[in-house]
């Protein structure tokens, strides 16, 4: 025969177990990790769109997804562009010739460049989650060859 004390202890144990499970999921981020994807971007000296390109040069990803930058040809890296990342996000800069992977948690747009080839227009744009392209991105001072590429990327982003 179950007593009131036994039932109370069982209910308390069940609540404690459920709370622990919720905390474990919150701290490990299990739901985000289970659905997150990793996208590969090649850094090329010559690609389908010409010299010094990222392929693809435009990505639409979900918050929590990751991007792996692969220097398929030598002398490339991936770095965020000042003024082209969401507020309060810390930028990144990979080392030359090194494969680099990073996660994108905050929704928004991320302008990416290859530091050695920025002047040759080697840029890309990543859209994370639901976001509207900030008009301020259009006024960021970029090298001449990067301007037309960014105009194309901005047009893609606004479709």
């Amino acid at each position: 025969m179950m007593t009131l004390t036994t039932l109370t202890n069982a209910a308390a144990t069940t609540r404690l177990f459920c709370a622990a499970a919720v905390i474990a999921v919150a701290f490990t981020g299990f739901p985000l990790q289970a659905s997150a994807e990793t996208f590969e971007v090649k850094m090329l000296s010559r690609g389908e769109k010409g010299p010094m390109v990222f392929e693809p040069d435009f990505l639409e990803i979900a918050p929590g997804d990751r991007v792996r930058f692969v220097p398929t040809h030598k002398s490339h890296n991936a770095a965020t562009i000042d003024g082209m990342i969401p507020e309060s996000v810390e930028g990144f800069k990979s080392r030359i010739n090194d494969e680099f992977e990073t996660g994108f948690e905050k929704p928004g747009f991320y302008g990416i460049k290859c530091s050695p080839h920025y002047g040759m227009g080697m840029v890309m744009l990543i859209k994370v989650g639901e976001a509207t392209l900030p008009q301020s991105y259009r006024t960021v001072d970029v090298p001449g060859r990067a301007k037309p590429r960014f105009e194309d990327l901005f047009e893609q982003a606004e479709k």
Side-chain angles (χ1 to χ4, degrees), residues 125-152:
L125 191 64
I126 299 173
K127 178 183 178 183
V128 178
E130 293 298 317
T132 302
L133 183 71
Q135 287 303 309
S136 62
Y137 282 33
R138 294 181 182 280
T139 62
V140 172
D141 188 30
V142 300
R145 290 188 181 169
K147 284 182 184 189
R149 287 190 177 172
F150 267 127
E151 285 304 318
D152 289 343

Side-chain angles (χ1 to χ4, degrees), residues 44 51-54 75-84 93 96 110-125 137-150 153-154:
L44 303 169
M52 304 304 167
V53 293
F54 289 95
S75 303
H76 298 296
N77 79 331
T80 51
I81 299 171
D82 291 340
M84 285 193 183
K93 182 178 181 181
I96 303 290
Y110 295 74
I112 310 295
K113 67 181 176 182
C114 170
S115 301
H117 303 113
Y118 189 31
M120 298 175 78
M122 190 167 176
V123 296
M124 74 171 297
L125 191 64
Y137 282 33
R138 294 181 182 280
T139 62
V140 172
D141 188 30
V142 300
R145 290 188 181 169
K147 284 182 184 189
R149 287 190 177 172
F150 267 127
L153 294 169
F154 295 157

Side-chain angles (χ1 to χ4, degrees), residues 3 14 18 27-28 39 46 50-51 86-87 92 102 111 115 124 142 154:
T3 65
T14 302
C18 290
F27 281 110
T28 62
F39 295 85
R46 179 161 293 284
E87 284 186 37
F92 61 81
T102 189
S115 301
M124 74 171 297
V142 300
F154 295 157

Side-chain angles (χ1 to χ4, degrees), residues 86-115:
E87 284 186 37
S88 77
V89 170
E90 188 174 324
F92 61 81
K93 182 178 181 181
S94 71
R95 293 174 44 174
I96 303 290
N97 297 327
D98 281 357
E99 189 171 300
F100 175 73
E101 185 174 313
T102 189
F104 293 83
E105 302 299 328
K106 185 169 183 180
F109 283 87
Y110 295 74
I112 310 295
K113 67 181 176 182
C114 170
S115 301

